[in-house]
Amino acid sequence: MKSTSLTIASIALLLSAAIATAQNTVRKSVNESANQTMLTAIDDSLTATGCSQWFQPQLISIKGFEKRATDTKETMLVTNNTTFDISRIKVRFRYTNYETGELLHQRDEWLDCEIPAGATRSVDIASFDRHRRFYYYLSPRSRRQATPFAVAVKILRYDIIATATD
């Protein structure tokens, strides 16, 4: 009986120590920086050790973003400035109210598109705005009541196309 209570006390002590040392992994804030020709980039310095020669997200640019209040899709131009052909890109989109800066929505999306090195492609994705209440602040304004939004992007990942040669 004494060994059972000692075992229970030991387990309780270990659990309380584990809970006390739990690590908080929630980020406090994300810095943003603007670029005149491209969409705003979410600056978060995502580089894996030893991968910097392969993963260079600054070489992928997204510009020409467009979404009117009546649109169900968002359209953008994606440029691949790497030396590799890429097959798809994972992007974090952060939508904010253009007038107040309030966060409206954030999502990670795969852009499935083959883009040769040095080329630009137009890409469409389903809009975050399913109720058609928002429009991108640089897109033409519609007659219906809608709120302008801004979007910031961050390249999280891209896949390189590797082909066999004879």
Side-chain angles (χ1 to χ4, degrees):
M1 184 70 165
K2 219 174 195 184
S3 67
T4 305
S5 62
L6 182 60
T7 305
I8 293 173
S10 301
I11 292 172
L13 182 63
L14 287 172
L15 285 175
S16 64
I19 291 170
T21 60
Q23 187 176 22
N24 183 1
T25 60
V26 178
R27 288 195 170 157
K28 301 289 187 226
S29 66
V30 176
N31 296 326
E32 293 183 13
S33 62
N35 186 323
Q36 296 290 346
T37 58
M38 293 186 296
L39 288 180
T40 304
I42 300 172
D43 182 19
D44 215 5
S45 302
L46 179 74
T47 53
T49 306
C51 293
S52 60
Q53 71 182 26
W54 303 105
F55 182 66
Q56 297 178 332
Q58 71 277 8
L59 296 179
I60 307 291
S61 64
I62 299 176
K63 50 190 166 188
F65 190 90
E66 193 169 307
K67 194 265 182 213
R68 295 177 302 236
T70 56
D71 292 342
T72 59
K73 294 186 177 195
E74 298 167 12
T75 303
M76 64 209 78
L77 297 172
V78 181
T79 302
N80 174 11
N81 292 311
T82 71
T83 57
F84 307 102
D85 295 348
I86 56 178
S87 61
R88 63 184 191 155
I89 307 164
K90 189 169 190 177
V91 181
R92 175 164 296 148
F93 292 92
R94 176 182 239 189
Y95 304 90
T96 55
N97 183 309
Y98 182 69
E99 296 164 346
T100 66
E102 174 187 8
L103 180 65
L104 299 171
H105 187 70
Q106 181 172 301
R107 67 180 175 158
D108 295 349
E109 284 289 324
W110 281 105
L111 306 181
D112 290 317
C113 55
E114 289 192 14
I115 307 175
T120 299
R121 296 288 184 265
S122 179
V123 178
D124 293 330
I125 59 171
S127 178
F128 82 99
D129 177 25
R130 296 182 187 195
H131 300 289
R132 300 179 187 170
R133 294 183 183 151
F134 298 95
Y135 68 96
Y136 183 59
Y137 77 101
L138 292 176
S139 292
R141 191 172 186 170
S142 68
R143 288 181 230 152
R144 74 186 320 183
Q145 180 69 23
T147 304
F149 71 88
V151 63
V153 296
K154 177 182 177 183
I155 307 299
L156 300 175
R157 171 182 163 174
Y158 55 85
D159 294 351
I160 297 171
I161 299 174
T163 55
T165 58
D166 292 335

